[in-house]
Amino acid sequence: MAHISFDHSKLSKFVHDNELGEMQAMVTAANEELRNGTGAGSDFRDWLNLPKDYDKAEFERIKQAAKKIQSDSKVLVVIGIGGSYLGAKMAVDFLNDTFFNYLPDDRRQFPQVMFAGNSLSPSYVYDLLNLIGDRDFSVNVISKSGTTTEPSIAFRIFKDRLVEKYGEAGAKDRIYATTDQAHGALRQEADAKGYESFIIPDGVGGRYSVLTPVGLLPIAASGADIDQLMKGAADAADAYTDPDLSKNEAYQYAAYRNILYRKGFTTELLENYEPNMMYFAEWWKQLMGESEGKNEKGIYPSSANFTTDLHSLGQYIQEGLRNLMETVVKVDQPNHDLDVPKEADNLDGLQYLEGHTMDFANTKAFEAVTLAHTDGNVPNMSVHIPDQTPYTLGYLIYFFEVAVAISGYLNGINPFNQPGVEAYKQNMFALLGKPGYKDLGDKLRKKL
């Protein structure tokens, strides 16, 4: 039995009983493409076996590096963009206290984990430098090429601050490079300068890389148990191998969302009821958007954080354009719960909730929203997770990774490339005056 559960019971008014079974042949074919490497993008399937087939020696080095960072740094600055930061940010938020990064040093057991290089905002970088102040810090720079503009600029700035504070030799011991095994500018610099380095596997794309050193070092530095994280993913890999739709809930999810897509439900909202899961949705959006948005088709991934966003997006979801489907990731046992206090005068009208807890109210809100939105012709699915532990997160990560791979093949696309990402980069290089882009730059400037 799977550790997490997928509930599609609210789809009965949108999907006929026979439709899932009629997807079985297509799902079986998609599974063969994925498992046998006969589908498009087969060179980037190493995430499939990664939870069990990974470099154990490097894994131990990651844990040792995390311990060193914990011992000598109050802040770890993780520099990367896209898959080079979203997985780690999601996991650090998911696995820690909501205000993990806000606690003062005297109340912290582990360093703050802050992120940079994911935008070109000078104010953000200035503010982060100001936050670090005179405190000890280390840097984990993550880039396969070492030339991506956003992280490259940030790395120069934080490297300069490290050298200013610790000198060349001291700075070297506080820089951890996660990059290509043999190629690229960052690999060359890491070798030349003697940074401790970790490998981004060739067969794992950025959005699937959270269980590689890309995500594991920041996650471990935050104090999370990465052994349990990998064990959860490994158990999920065993649980989601059978293509039989009556047994494989990850494949069920892929099939149902494709059935709905073909009926005009072209936008999927991933929703949660825990504020520290906001970045789980951001990670999911990259995973789904880069995997499926190609050839002028694909489900558009969006998100909402409930109950908060019910007071801003709720009206549209309930009565707006009927192209939405919803998937809720619901935590069945929150990290903490609180009783609703008793008050004699009942001025706020909450006496009916006395004797209950906040999670009781949160769960009833989830149930009420599901019923209301279903009545409003918004298909609802939910993925129930028992808790917010590393084991559960590893399991959940794998659930969505294997689901989107199957979903992509069901829709006739390569779920492992992202050709459209390069379009803006070429224009940006040209407008910034990067060597080799002069002609394109001249053309673009005429359009501006």
Side-chain angles (χ1 to χ4, degrees):
M1 181 178 179
H3 179 68
I4 65 179
S5 63
F6 172 62
D7 182 3
H8 54 83
S9 61
K10 302 300 186 292
L11 294 181
S12 57
K13 70 180 289 187
F14 307 98
V15 180
H16 298 124
D17 291 341
N18 59 297
E19 289 186 85
L20 185 67
E22 290 170 359
M23 290 288 288
Q24 183 62 71
M26 289 181 281
V27 168
T28 299
N31 179 72
E32 290 175 356
E33 286 185 288
L34 178 63
R35 305 289 174 178
N36 298 331
T38 56
S42 60
D43 289 344
F44 286 89
R45 297 175 305 116
D46 286 359
W47 58 270
L48 263 176
N49 300 314
L50 180 67
K52 291 180 281 189
D53 184 19
Y54 59 90
D55 187 330
K56 306 303 190 295
E58 184 177 51
F59 191 80
E60 291 303 314
R61 283 202 304 114
I62 289 170
K63 291 194 286 186
Q64 291 305 310
K67 288 179 180 178
K68 180 180 179 297
I69 293 166
Q70 291 165 357
S71 71
D72 67 13
S73 299
K74 297 297 184 183
V75 183
L76 171 65
V77 179
V78 181
I79 297 175
I81 195 167
S84 294
Y85 99 98
L86 279 171
K89 170 64 174 167
M90 167 272 289
V92 170
D93 283 4
F94 184 101
L95 296 172
N96 286 287
D97 180 284
T98 304
F99 302 103
F100 169 80
N101 272 328
Y102 294 88
L103 292 173
D105 290 344
D106 61 0
R107 293 182 58 193
R108 305 188 63 82
Q109 184 179 1
F110 303 108
Q112 288 178 298
V113 181
M114 309 302 291
F115 294 84
N118 47 55
S119 77
L120 287 171
S121 167
S123 295
Y124 179 95
V125 173
Y126 179 91
D127 292 345
L128 180 51
L129 288 167
N130 189 52
L131 175 71
I132 295 168
D134 292 331
R135 293 183 297 161
D136 289 318
F137 75 102
S138 294
V139 167
N140 177 205
V141 55
I142 305 167
S143 175
K144 199 165 181 65
S145 67
T147 58
T148 304
T149 307
E150 295 91 339
S152 294
I153 292 174
F155 184 41
R156 278 203 178 194
I157 292 169
F158 284 96
K159 180 171 53 177
D160 185 65
R161 180 61 63 91
L162 282 173
V163 171
E164 178 184 314
K165 184 174 178 64
Y166 301 105
E168 291 281 354
K172 171 186 76 69
D173 291 334
R174 290 176 174 271
I175 296 174
Y176 302 84
T178 306
T179 189
D180 189 85
Q181 183 171 9
H183 305 288
L186 183 55
R187 166 50 57 199
Q188 293 177 14
E189 180 173 348
D191 290 344
K193 299 287 189 179
Y195 306 150
E196 182 162 11
S197 64
F198 303 95
I199 305 304
I200 302 174
D202 288 337
V204 180
R207 59 189 175 275
Y208 293 86
S209 67
V210 61
L211 299 177
T212 74
V214 169
L216 292 176
L217 179 56
I219 295 168
S222 78
D225 187 340
I226 59 173
D227 288 289
Q228 283 297 303
L229 183 74
M230 296 301 280
K231 187 176 189 310
D235 287 350
D238 289 336
Y240 301 129
T241 55
D242 191 334
D244 187 337
L245 282 171
S246 67
K247 301 175 181 177
N248 191 325
E249 291 187 324
Y251 285 23
Q252 284 178 22
Y253 168 62
Y256 276 121
R257 62 198 299 274
N258 273 272
I259 291 170
L260 292 167
Y261 173 60
R262 287 156 174 74
K263 295 186 178 190
F265 298 102
T266 56
T267 295
E268 181 177 9
L269 290 168
L270 190 80
E271 299 160 353
N272 64 75
Y273 284 76
E274 294 293 338
N276 68 346
M277 288 181 63
M278 182 177 74
Y279 260 86
F280 185 86
E282 297 303 309
W283 169 81
W284 175 89
K285 284 192 285 190
Q286 186 199 10
L287 179 69
M288 296 295 179
E290 279 194 356
S291 296
E292 294 192 301
K294 293 155 198 172
N295 303 333
E296 299 185 3
K297 56 186 176 181
I299 299 167
Y300 180 75
S302 189
S303 63
N305 306 291
F306 289 166
T307 58
T308 304
D309 288 343
L310 290 170
H311 297 262
S312 56
L313 298 176
Q315 172 63 40
Y316 187 94
I317 297 170
Q318 189 69 44
E319 296 184 346
L321 189 65
R322 299 297 75 187
N323 67 336
L324 304 177
M325 64 174 112
E326 296 175 286
T327 300
V328 180
V329 179
K330 180 66 174 67
V331 182
D332 290 335
Q333 183 62 50
N335 291 333
H336 308 284
D337 202 1
L338 294 170
D339 294 327
V340 177
K342 295 182 179 181
E343 290 187 4
D345 50 21
N346 193 36
L347 292 176
D348 55 13
L350 287 180
Q351 195 169 61
Y352 73 101
L353 285 177
E354 292 177 1
H356 293 294
T357 68
M358 282 192 72
D359 185 58
F360 171 81
N362 206 24
T363 297
K364 292 307 173 186
F366 155 69
E367 294 170 356
V369 171
T370 299
L371 293 173
H373 289 181
T374 301
D375 288 344
N377 292 319
V378 180
N380 264 258
M381 301 172 279
S382 57
V383 179
H384 287 260
I385 62 176
D387 48 40
Q388 287 184 251
T389 59
Y391 180 88
T392 294
L393 180 58
Y395 214 104
L396 187 62
I397 287 168
Y398 198 89
F399 174 93
F400 282 115
E401 286 181 343
V402 77
V404 76
I406 293 296
S407 185
Y409 282 140
L410 286 175
N411 207 17
I413 60 164
N414 177 353
F416 305 121
N417 68 351
Q418 55 279 345
V421 173
E422 297 304 314
Y424 95 89
K425 291 182 181 180
Q426 303 302 312
N427 287 353
M428 183 173 66
F429 290 156
L431 292 173
L432 286 171
K434 186 173 182 177
Y437 289 85
K438 183 180 183 305
D439 290 345
L440 178 58
D442 292 341
K443 291 179 182 178
L444 292 175
R445 276 183 282 274
K446 291 178 181 178
K447 293 182 179 181
L448 292 174

